[in-house]
Amino acid sequence: MASEQDPGTGHGPARRWGALARLRGAGAARSADDARDTAVTTAGRPATLPTQRAVAGQSAQVPAESAASAAPEASARGSVIPRDPAAAPSVPLVPTQRTAPATPAAGDVAASERTDDSAEPRAADGRRRRVLVTTALAALLVAGTAGGLVVQQAEQRAEGAAQARARVDAALPAVAADAVMRQAADGRTGRAAAAAQHRRAQDAAQQSVEHAAATLAATPHAGDEARGALQGAADALTAALEGTPSPARLRALQEAVAGPEQAALDAQAQWQATEDARLAAERAAAEEAARQAAQRDAGRRSSPAYAPSRAGTSTSPTPSGGGASAAAPPAAPVRVPAGGKVCQGSGGSGAVESGVGAIGAAINAYRATHGLPELAVSRSGSLVTHARNMADAGGIWHSGGDNIVACVSNGSASSMVSAWAASPAHNTQMLRTDVSSMGVGGASLGGWLFGAVVFR
């Protein structure tokens, strides 16, 4: 069925819809024909056409003008209604539903056949439409259900997010306070660490200054150049400590002190080695002179011309062989050795012992001003001799048995102690805490006072 194909229109839904449209057009044409047939009236007056829809005793009134206008159309279709209403019979033959249906035209028969052919496709189209509608409704139902679930899940997520935000908002002030406290604690810790580091740097710098001062006191003979460089570096570090320098600046200044300090120590060691060699040479010379003097004295005593004095008198030696006896050579004058210091305006001969007790008392008085105990004072014969030699030579030097020596032009022991206090090395010796006594030697000549002291 429905396997025919129209070459002009093809087959399928388009053909079926065309057949349906032609069928509807044919039905409408038949309805119009029936209406025109029932509108035929007698000449000059409207006709009353009974129909099935009219109520008993009533008839449809059709105006003559309508009938007249419908007459040409009926004639065009081949009806029996004449064109001239006057020539029409008085009682027209109007077919009704009770009469036998008129024979359809050839076009109507073809339309009916096509209608029968398209009945089955229309049923299939209806089924497809129902399936499509059902599917669409099911899809809508599923989509609506899924949409409801999605909306519900979205609402649940929104509610969870709101609760999470509420918890975060509630906890945020406490967290912020904790962060502020941690930052403050970190800041205090950092500041405390920086302050501790700065204090350590200052303490180390102060120790360097004190060590430099001790080095200057222990190196009085290092030379002006070495001592001056060390003093300048120590002064720079001391000035920095009076401000607020950085630890790095203090470390740099400490390193600047180390070099001059070592140079001063080296110079002092060199001087000391030279001094030790000089003292050793002096001792050797003194021993040789003493040995020679002893030999000369022994020779005189063994000489025949020598006679001991009796009763406090002495006899002159008798010349032998007509010659006069040779007199003993005078002792050679003492001179300031190399490395010693000349006291300008002093020197000569005939120095005498002087100032031993005064020198010891002046040193103890100076120690008392620094809160130190007095030291026991004793005369040292060797230091007295050394002091006399220095006075005769007009200079001072170390004998090897003393710690400090000095000369003053006014003969005052207090002035001598003041001179020693002005020298760091000599001042350190006078203020020693590891001694309990001192040996003193002193001599004067021409108003000058010479002194030598050893601490024990």
Side-chain angles (χ1 to χ4, degrees):
M1 294 177 64
S3 61
E4 300 177 358
Q5 182 173 356
D6 189 352
T9 61
H11 61 81
R15 176 184 174 187
R16 290 193 293 269
W17 284 108
L20 180 60
R22 286 191 296 272
L23 181 60
R24 289 177 181 174
R30 285 197 299 270
S31 298
D33 292 340
D34 292 341
R36 282 192 295 271
D37 291 339
T38 57
V40 176
T41 60
T42 58
R45 61 181 181 85
T48 301
L49 302 178
T51 64
Q52 255 185 350
R53 296 176 181 174
V55 182
Q58 296 181 355
S59 62
Q61 301 293 328
V62 180
E65 295 177 357
S66 299
S69 61
E73 296 178 3
S75 176
R77 297 179 62 87
S79 175
V80 295
I81 299 175
R83 291 182 180 273
D84 188 2
S90 59
V91 180
L93 296 176
V94 179
T96 64
Q97 290 185 353
R98 292 176 181 175
T99 62
T103 302
D108 294 336
V109 173
S112 298
E113 291 177 355
R114 289 194 296 271
T115 302
D116 294 338
D117 294 338
S118 62
E120 184 176 353
R122 283 202 306 275
D125 290 341
R127 286 194 298 272
R128 278 195 293 272
R129 282 196 296 273
R130 285 193 297 273
V131 170
L132 291 175
V133 170
T134 302
T135 304
L137 290 175
L140 290 175
L141 179 61
V142 172
T145 303
L149 292 175
V150 170
V151 171
Q152 183 179 4
Q153 292 176 356
E155 290 177 352
Q156 292 176 353
R157 287 195 297 270
E159 183 179 0
Q163 293 176 356
R165 284 195 298 271
R167 290 193 297 270
V168 170
D169 293 340
L172 187 59
V175 173
D178 292 342
V180 171
M181 292 178 63
R182 284 196 299 270
Q183 291 177 355
D186 293 341
R188 288 192 297 270
T189 303
R191 287 193 296 271
Q197 181 182 7
H198 194 267
R199 284 194 300 271
R200 288 193 297 269
Q202 286 182 327
D203 294 341
Q206 184 62 41
Q207 291 177 1
S208 295
V209 170
E210 295 174 355
H211 195 272
T215 300
L216 285 171
T219 57
H221 304 289
D224 294 341
E225 183 178 357
R227 288 172 56 83
L230 178 56
Q231 187 66 55
D235 292 343
L237 185 55
T238 302
L241 286 172
E242 294 177 355
T244 56
S246 65
R249 174 62 176 167
L250 290 176
R251 285 193 296 270
L253 291 175
Q254 284 180 257
E255 294 174 358
V257 171
E261 187 173 10
Q262 186 61 43
L265 291 172
D266 293 342
Q268 178 67 25
Q270 184 177 1
W271 176 89
Q272 190 64 49
T274 303
E275 183 69 8
D276 292 342
R278 183 188 66 79
L279 292 176
E282 287 183 357
R283 284 194 297 269
E287 291 174 357
E288 180 64 22
R291 186 183 64 79
Q292 292 178 0
Q295 288 179 352
R296 286 194 300 270
D297 185 63
R300 284 197 307 269
R301 288 178 180 277
S302 62
S303 173
Y306 175 78
S309 61
R310 295 184 183 146
T313 63
S314 63
T315 59
S316 299
T318 303
S320 60
S325 61
V334 182
R335 299 184 182 277
V336 179
K341 179 180 179 181
V342 176
C343 301
Q344 295 294 336
S346 65
S349 60
V352 296
E353 179 181 347
S354 175
V356 172
I359 294 172
I363 291 175
N364 279 328
Y366 180 69
R367 288 174 58 88
T369 61
H370 289 78
L372 298 176
E374 291 185 356
L375 301 178
V377 180
S378 62
R379 176 184 178 277
S380 172
S382 61
L383 293 183
V384 169
T385 300
H386 183 56
R388 291 177 61 187
N389 289 336
M390 291 191 297
D392 289 339
I396 56 175
W397 64 91
H398 290 285
S399 65
D402 57 66
N403 297 125
I404 53 177
V405 294
C407 62
V408 291
S409 60
N410 60 2
S412 170
S414 297
S415 298
M416 182 175 289
V417 172
S418 297
W420 279 329
S423 170
H426 295 80
N427 185 65
T428 301
Q429 289 290 336
M430 290 193 296
L431 299 180
R432 288 173 60 178
T433 58
D434 59 339
V435 295
S436 59
S437 63
M438 55 180 161
V440 182
S444 59
L445 179 63
W448 286 75
L449 177 63
F450 290 79
V453 181
V454 60
F455 296 94
R456 306 185 181 94

